[in-house]
Amino acid sequence: MAAEPKPEIFRLNDDCLEEIFDRLQDLPTEVAFSRTCQRLQHICLAKWRTSRAYEQLDLDKWRELLPNYEDLVYFLTQMRPHIRQMCVSSCLCALLKDLDEMQISDLPRVTSFYYDPEDVDCYPSNRSIRKLAQLLPGLHKLRLTTPIDGRYLSHFEQLQELHLYEDQHKAYELQQEYLDEVCHKLHDLRVLDIRTYDVISKLQLGNCLQSLRNLAVLKLNLATLKPVLPAVLELPSLRQLVVLLDNEWHIPPLVSPDSYDHKIREVSEFYEIMERRAKDIVGFAVDGYYMPLEPGWDAALPIWAHRRLRRLAICSWTHSADYLERYTCMADLQLLCLRNWNELSDDILLQFVQLCPRLEHLDVSYCRELTPNFLPRALSVLKQREPYKQMPGYRRSPPLLLYYDLSGFEDFVDKSNLKSSPDYRGYIIFTADFPVGSERGLSFVDRGYQFEFDCP
């Protein structure tokens, strides 16, 4: 019996089939193309798994792309071994039920999970957290914005980052026994954020610190830090410490509320960290709106003897900006964030551009006193330092990223289209975003302070 003739499309090589794929109009058409045979499935899968558009699973968005349920199940089944991130804005319980119905028992390559439900009362149950740990056995980074008591968090055996902070009210915080479990059982934990926004945190780290030898980033409330500050500063791998000032204060019973000054208590730990770790401090951030620091607070800081600052953020300041000049001696400064200053001038800012040759990030968002005159002056300084930077073949240093949202020259930048100006190309990049690693809003760090250490 003669063999059936081979369809013409299968006479094409893979390059031609990939060209056909690139011309398909939408994902449902791609799925229909893929389901034709194994060879086309292989072509499509190779394209899908290298597309950043499908690296993160957001089931709600995927439903919009693939309204046909069978197509959605097929696509998810094909992509299951290649998904690296998950983002969930609906109820976690409903999501897990949907995945069960699709017979998706695990997503082995997902390393990051972010849960931020639109329904603020959709708290994940302990059962859902346990099932999530089974679904994501290789999870490294977990961020939950809803209240959670913490049971079964220790089931994420490969977890390296745990983020539980959200700048809003939570009905309750992590329970102490489950925090202890997390610290004792998750030996690869590198980042721990247990801040609570609007109450005095009851969490304690006294029984946990010996198990946190690998911890590099710790974010916590002042009330949690106070009893264990010396021990925290002795953590051998600690690179960053972020402290959230409590929104309420515990006043000792023998002290009159009218005479009790909580501000003295709040800043003492800040200065103690400065004293204990001065030689290792390479960055610090202060929220001037909440930190009760008076003019001249930094004149005698022990960091001046070492001059190692690479990252400096002093935000929401109402005092004169003249004292900032002393920080221009930090020749290794790479990031300067002066967000929401009232009296920041062009001249002060220009000194940093002139005297800090390694400066790569300059955040002046919400600084309304700055003028457009700063921009050509800063460009002139940068061009004098590297006059041949725009020439082909010239070894270029990184451009200066200028964060200018709601600054005094925002309108000028936008109206003059400076973002695409050839004069500024290679020297200054204008961005309305915020620096990586900072909080969004009026301050680099929420309602408190942050230290960064250079450890051996």
Side-chain angles (χ1 to χ4, degrees):
M1 185 175 178
E4 292 185 7
K6 191 175 186 180
E8 289 295 324
I9 192 172
F10 294 123
R11 298 179 185 274
L12 301 176
N13 61 27
D14 285 355
D15 291 339
C16 292
L17 293 176
E18 289 176 4
E19 287 294 324
I20 294 174
F21 177 91
D22 291 338
R23 286 162 173 76
L24 299 179
Q25 60 185 358
D26 53 27
L27 187 56
T29 308
E30 293 174 8
V31 169
F33 188 66
S34 171
R35 298 178 77 165
T36 305
C37 68
Q38 288 189 349
R39 185 181 176 203
L40 294 183
Q41 182 184 91
H42 177 76
I43 295 291
C44 294
L45 184 57
K47 287 287 189 177
W48 290 333
R49 71 186 183 193
T50 56
S51 171
R52 296 187 66 86
Y54 308 127
E55 198 173 65
Q56 174 174 290
L57 170 58
D58 185 330
L59 198 56
D60 292 333
K61 291 182 179 179
W62 284 23
R63 281 194 177 99
E64 295 176 2
L65 295 173
L66 293 169
N68 180 278
Y69 182 75
E70 291 183 358
D71 287 348
L72 176 63
V73 174
Y74 172 84
F75 182 70
L76 184 54
T77 302
Q78 295 301 313
M79 291 298 294
R80 185 187 70 85
H82 309 292
I83 299 169
R84 297 180 180 274
Q85 302 173 18
M86 281 187 69
C87 178
V88 180
S89 57
S90 56
C91 180
L92 180 59
C93 180
L95 170 80
L96 295 172
K97 182 179 179 181
D98 290 342
L99 293 177
D100 275 345
E101 293 175 353
M102 297 177 187
Q103 298 183 352
I104 303 295
S105 60
D106 69 333
L107 295 166
R109 298 196 66 185
V110 170
T111 58
S112 175
F113 181 86
Y114 177 28
Y115 182 54
D116 186 20
E118 295 175 354
D119 182 355
V120 295
D121 294 326
C122 190
Y123 304 163
S125 67
N126 288 329
R127 181 175 179 269
S128 294
I129 295 298
R130 183 177 60 187
K131 290 189 67 175
L132 185 66
Q134 296 168 351
L135 178 72
L136 310 176
L139 194 67
H140 290 170
K141 181 178 180 179
L142 174 63
R143 183 181 177 194
L144 304 172
T145 62
T146 57
I148 184 174
D149 65 17
R151 190 175 185 182
Y152 301 123
L153 284 179
S154 61
H155 286 207
F156 295 96
E157 297 179 355
Q158 298 187 39
L159 200 65
Q160 297 178 9
E161 298 186 24
L162 178 59
H163 302 263
L164 301 179
Y165 174 65
E166 180 68 8
D167 57 348
Q168 63 185 21
H169 170 74
K170 288 188 177 182
Y172 51 89
E173 70 172 346
L174 187 67
Q175 289 188 18
Q176 183 65 49
E177 62 177 304
Y178 301 130
L179 172 62
D180 292 346
E181 273 189 13
V182 165
C183 296
H184 294 318
K185 294 183 178 181
L186 302 184
H187 304 295
D188 293 328
L189 200 61
R190 302 288 191 276
V191 178
L192 179 61
D193 188 351
I194 53 173
R195 290 175 291 175
T196 301
Y197 184 69
D198 60 351
V199 296
I200 297 179
S201 176
K202 302 296 193 299
L203 294 176
Q204 298 293 321
L205 287 177
N207 295 327
C208 305
L209 291 177
Q210 289 301 316
S211 301
L212 297 176
R213 313 300 290 175
N214 295 322
L215 196 69
V217 178
L218 177 59
K219 303 181 180 184
L220 73 176
N221 286 60
L222 178 63
T224 304
L225 176 67
K226 290 176 73 68
V228 292
L229 176 58
V232 166
L233 295 180
E234 293 297 324
L235 290 174
S237 301
L238 190 65
R239 297 290 187 276
Q240 185 183 96
L241 178 63
V242 180
V243 180
L244 178 70
L245 299 180
D246 295 294
N247 206 25
E248 301 174 1
W249 303 279
H250 171 69
I251 301 177
L254 299 180
V255 175
S256 167
D258 296 330
S259 62
Y260 186 72
D261 187 355
H262 64 269
K263 293 184 178 182
I264 296 176
R265 179 177 66 111
E266 287 182 352
V267 299
S268 61
E269 288 77 20
F270 175 81
Y271 287 115
E272 184 175 349
I273 296 170
M274 279 282 189
E275 292 287 344
R276 288 177 175 268
R277 297 295 299 271
K279 64 182 179 61
D280 300 320
I281 293 174
V282 293
F284 75 86
V286 175
D287 184 341
Y289 181 81
Y290 290 99
M291 285 288 288
L293 301 171
E294 298 299 328
W297 62 274
D298 56 351
L301 291 180
I303 59 172
W304 298 116
H306 306 282
R307 298 189 177 186
R308 300 190 62 193
L309 283 188
R310 296 197 289 264
R311 293 164 60 86
L312 172 66
I314 304 177
C315 303
S316 299
W317 216 253
T318 57
H319 305 304
S320 170
D322 293 343
Y323 87 92
L324 275 175
E325 291 184 38
R326 61 171 62 106
Y327 289 96
T328 59
C329 71
M330 302 291 179
D332 292 331
L333 202 63
Q334 297 172 7
L335 179 146
L336 177 64
C337 177
L338 303 174
R339 203 180 300 170
N340 195 36
W341 272 67
N342 285 356
E343 300 183 21
L344 186 60
S345 68
D346 296 354
D347 292 338
I348 294 294
L349 203 57
L350 193 65
Q351 290 190 45
F352 283 96
V353 179
Q354 292 171 328
L355 300 176
C356 302
R358 299 184 180 180
L359 190 64
E360 295 181 24
H361 302 269
L362 180 58
D363 185 354
V364 292
S365 305
Y366 310 108
C367 295
R368 305 299 298 179
E369 297 300 316
L370 295 175
T371 73
N373 294 330
F374 166 76
L375 300 174
R377 295 172 67 188
L379 180 62
S380 176
V381 171
L382 297 175
K383 285 190 172 182
Q384 289 178 17
R385 185 179 299 154
E386 294 183 278
Y388 306 109
K389 193 172 186 180
Q390 293 180 332
M391 296 181 63
Y394 183 78
R395 185 178 180 182
R396 298 174 176 83
S397 62
L400 176 66
L401 268 69
L402 185 58
Y403 306 84
Y404 71 104
D405 188 39
L406 293 179
S407 67
F409 46 70
E410 179 189 38
D411 292 342
F412 179 78
V413 170
D414 294 339
K415 290 178 180 178
S416 303
N417 199 23
L418 295 188
K419 289 184 177 181
S420 57
S421 169
D423 290 338
Y424 288 85
R425 189 180 68 248
Y427 290 103
I428 298 177
I429 294 178
F430 298 93
T431 173
D433 206 344
F434 295 109
V436 174
S438 80
E439 308 285 0
R440 308 186 67 83
L442 298 179
S443 185
F444 188 91
V445 59
D446 271 351
R447 206 179 74 213
Y449 49 87
Q450 170 177 319
F451 284 95
E452 297 174 8
F453 309 108
D454 183 21
C455 301

